[in-house]
Amino acid sequence: MDRSKFVAILTGVISLLLAVGYLVLVQILDFRGEMLPAPVSLLPMLFGLP
């Protein structure tokens, strides 16, 4: 019984760490500002199209 309680607590702690890490990552990515698409005017030059 003691080992199963330890495993449950350990998996709960790992789950909380992953959740907090995910939230921090999302906040950092969101803090960078608006995501702008790549300029379409450069595509013909990249692929060698006229």
Side-chain angles (χ1 to χ4, degrees):
M1 236 13 184
D2 213 19
R3 181 187 162 131
S4 61
K5 187 175 180 180
F6 172 73
V7 171
I9 291 173
L10 181 65
T11 55
V13 169
I14 291 172
S15 174
L16 285 173
L17 289 175
L18 286 173
V20 170
Y22 175 76
L23 288 175
V24 168
L25 178 66
V26 167
Q27 290 298 321
I28 289 172
L29 292 176
D30 192 38
F31 181 71
R32 296 185 337 177
E34 184 180 358
M35 291 178 57
L36 300 174
V40 183
S41 61
L42 295 178
L43 285 178
M45 290 180 5
L46 290 175
F47 293 112
L49 300 173

